[in-house]
Amino acid sequence: MAESRTSLLATAALLAMTAAWGSSFYLTKDLLDHVPAIDFLAVRFALAGVALVALAPGALGRLSPELRRRAVALGLLYGAAQLMQTVGLAHTAASVSGFITGLYVVATPLLAALVLGTRITAVTWGAVVLATTGLGVLTLDGLAIGYGEALTLVGALLYAAHIVGLAAWSSAVDAIGMTIIQVLVIAAACLAGALLTGDVGTVVLPERTGDWLSLVYMALIPGAAAMLAQTWAQAHLPATRSAIIMSSEPVFATFFAVLLGGESMTTRMLLGGALVLVAMVVTELVPRRRVEAEVTHLAV
């Protein structure tokens, strides 16, 4: 019973994290009109890192050397994925970017099988197909592979690798410390890139108050809080199940676009969102009926 409650709480944490991601999508698109992608990421994750260190200054000292090395590797994976997705978003439509990024729901079980030896059942693959179909219905008006789409696809594969890595390495007890290292590594990598590109030696900062407010929000909620939620939750959930839950990001992005952006609700939005929702329900109900054969590999 306690394990079931923990699993439900982990699912709720991932859903909250995914909602935060969805809420930031249109804000990111607007910010990229004023700030280069890598500069935006550097400032965003630097702010997130400062907030997390202030929240738990002693968390890093409690990590073992092995967990620190793993957190650094995870931070590099996530940072590279963020960079590929954000740069790709500047060169492709937001809807296409959302769909291609969501393909990590397909890549995750493949990587989990290769890296973790996880056996994925037919029911779980069915949920993956449902989620992917829902993403396509929700986001796509057309798809052609160009520079932006290729970068976004690389980002999706890196996100999948990060999800699998967290499933293997995350520790609920050390979630804050691992999150701090990941965020600081992402910030450092993006800062180095920002200093070496564009106007060498400088980082472009937002000029408008509204842009700063958006940036602080994205640093604290979809950045620091979301990374902490994911690191903790994935200590309790298999990689593929986590990926299917996180595939709801475009659903939340659409919800916020309708709620705050003035977009109109369409039949496609409802159908695509329903398919993703069904996929999530399947991943939650199947384990309780002892049909799913996924095994969580934790190395604490």
Side-chain angles (χ1 to χ4, degrees), residues 79-105:
Q82 281 275 295
L83 183 58
M84 293 298 101
Q85 181 190 20
T86 305
V87 175
L89 182 59
H91 297 278
T92 190
S95 61
V96 174
S97 175
F99 173 74
I100 296 176
T101 299
L103 291 179
Y104 62 68
V105 75

Side-chain angles (χ1 to χ4, degrees), residues 221-235:
I221 307 303
M227 179 67 78
L228 178 57
Q230 184 182 3
T231 301
W232 178 84
Q234 283 209 244

Side-chain angles (χ1 to χ4, degrees), residues 180-236:
I180 290 173
I181 290 181
Q182 288 180 82
V183 168
L184 291 178
V185 168
I186 296 167
C190 293
L191 180 60
L195 292 173
L196 294 173
T197 58
D199 293 331
V200 178
T202 62
V203 175
V204 177
L205 299 175
E207 296 181 352
R208 303 185 307 177
T209 301
D211 288 344
W212 269 111
L213 292 174
S214 296
L215 185 55
V216 170
Y217 167 75
M218 286 187 282
L220 298 181
I221 307 303
M227 179 67 78
L228 178 57
Q230 184 182 3
T231 301
W232 178 84
Q234 283 209 244
H236 303 285

Side-chain angles (χ1 to χ4, degrees), residues 6-7 32 34 59 93 101 105 109 111 115 120 127 141 143 155 172 184 201 216 222 229 249 257-258 277-278 294 299:
T6 301
S7 177
L32 292 181
H34 308 100
T101 299
V105 75
L111 285 177
V115 177
I120 310 300
D141 287 316
L143 178 62
L184 291 178
V216 170
E249 178 184 4
V258 171
L277 179 61
V278 170
E294 285 191 19

Side-chain angles (χ1 to χ4, degrees), residues 1 12 15 67 83 89 113 121 132 147 174 211 221 229 232 244 294:
M1 184 65 69
L15 276 174
L67 278 180
L83 183 58
L89 182 59
T121 67
T132 306
Y147 175 71
D174 296 308
D211 288 344
I221 307 303
W232 178 84
I244 292 172
E294 285 191 19

